[in-house]
Amino acid sequence: MSTTDHPARSGARPDIAGVAGRGGRAFRAVLRRTSRVGLVFYTLVLGAGLGLATADYATRGGYPFGGVAVGSWIAWPRTGSLGADPYARAVNARRGEIPLAVGEGLLLTASQDDQGRTLNAGCTYVIAGATPPARAWTLTVAGRGKRDPERPVLREGFTSTEVLRDVDGRFSIVLASDVQPGNWLPMPRATGPVRLALRLYDTPVAASAGTVERSAVPTISRTECAE
């Protein structure tokens, strides 16, 4: 038998088809490993993105949990306590606010009027009545967006010591973009949702927010809206 009958002994080139087959299998194995890594990376990125988006949505507005409805207002008795939920703590951290503890007072917020309509900066509202018993209180207006830089900051709220009252001790505050007589609280912008915050300091209802009657909190009535 001649040496040409034994390619391996003669140093001839190996079978090209076999090499190509082994190369194809190796390439497919690398591709499968790469696909797994890519899938894991995509899952991590997607999970992180969804987590950040949901956290931003949950902490962008007011507190999502733990509120007690009192008319148009929502009382938040536990946002400053040791038992505050993680979302409430995240909202406080994002706002840079120090919440009222149970022994200090009670926070009430409103984002709707008495008819259940969202408070809008393009409308005019009358906030009237009285507050639950408290040593002092403040009423401020805030929004869910940036303040209009073209609007000067004239006033952001009223305190119980400066608000004008009727002879029976009740008050009436007009929340509007245009100047109003009496207790006028300017809107922070021309349009968009706004939110009211009523803070009661040294109040006996802080520990029993669920017992506050609707007649004890101010009413919120919409009078007109810009076209």
Side-chain angles (χ1 to χ4, degrees):
M1 182 181 294
S2 63
T3 58
T4 56
D5 296 333
H6 301 279
R9 295 179 181 178
S10 62
R13 298 176 60 186
D15 183 28
I16 297 177
V19 173
R22 289 193 295 273
R25 288 193 295 272
F27 176 76
R28 288 193 293 270
V30 172
L31 183 62
R32 284 195 297 270
R33 287 195 295 269
T34 305
S35 299
R36 294 192 189 100
V37 173
L39 180 60
V40 172
F41 179 76
Y42 173 78
T43 302
L44 292 175
V45 171
L46 180 62
L50 290 176
L52 291 174
T54 53
D56 175 75
Y57 176 80
T59 60
R60 183 182 303 175
Y63 301 107
F65 307 109
V68 179
V70 184
S72 303
W73 301 85
I74 304 294
W76 305 97
R78 298 178 59 84
T79 56
S81 66
L82 295 177
D85 61 84
Y87 288 97
R89 297 180 181 180
V91 171
N92 292 330
R94 182 167 182 171
R95 294 179 181 175
E97 296 181 354
I98 300 177
L100 293 173
V102 175
E104 296 174 334
L106 179 66
L107 169 67
L108 298 96
T109 62
S111 58
Q112 298 179 340
D113 62 11
D114 289 351
Q115 302 299 321
R117 298 168 294 196
T118 300
L119 299 180
N120 191 288
C123 300
T124 300
Y125 300 90
V126 176
I127 307 162
T131 66
R135 185 179 298 275
W137 58 262
T138 61
L139 178 65
T140 57
V141 60
R144 298 179 183 174
K146 295 182 179 180
R147 177 177 291 274
D148 190 347
E150 297 182 358
R151 289 175 176 265
V153 182
L154 301 176
R155 177 186 287 274
E156 294 184 346
F158 279 95
T159 68
S160 55
T161 58
E162 64 183 351
V163 67
L164 301 176
R165 302 175 184 268
D166 299 331
V167 292
D168 58 356
R170 302 173 71 85
F171 61 86
S172 178
I173 299 174
V174 180
L175 176 63
S177 296
D178 300 328
V179 179
Q180 302 290 328
N183 299 315
W184 171 51
L185 188 56
M187 286 289 189
R189 63 185 59 81
T191 58
V194 296
R195 184 176 60 253
L196 294 171
L198 176 63
R199 293 176 174 86
L200 307 175
Y201 298 93
D202 193 11
T203 173
V205 301
S208 56
T211 63
V212 179
E213 298 182 358
R214 182 172 183 175
S215 59
V217 295
T219 60
I220 306 175
S221 305
R222 191 175 77 180
T223 59
E224 60 181 358
C225 288
E227 297 181 358

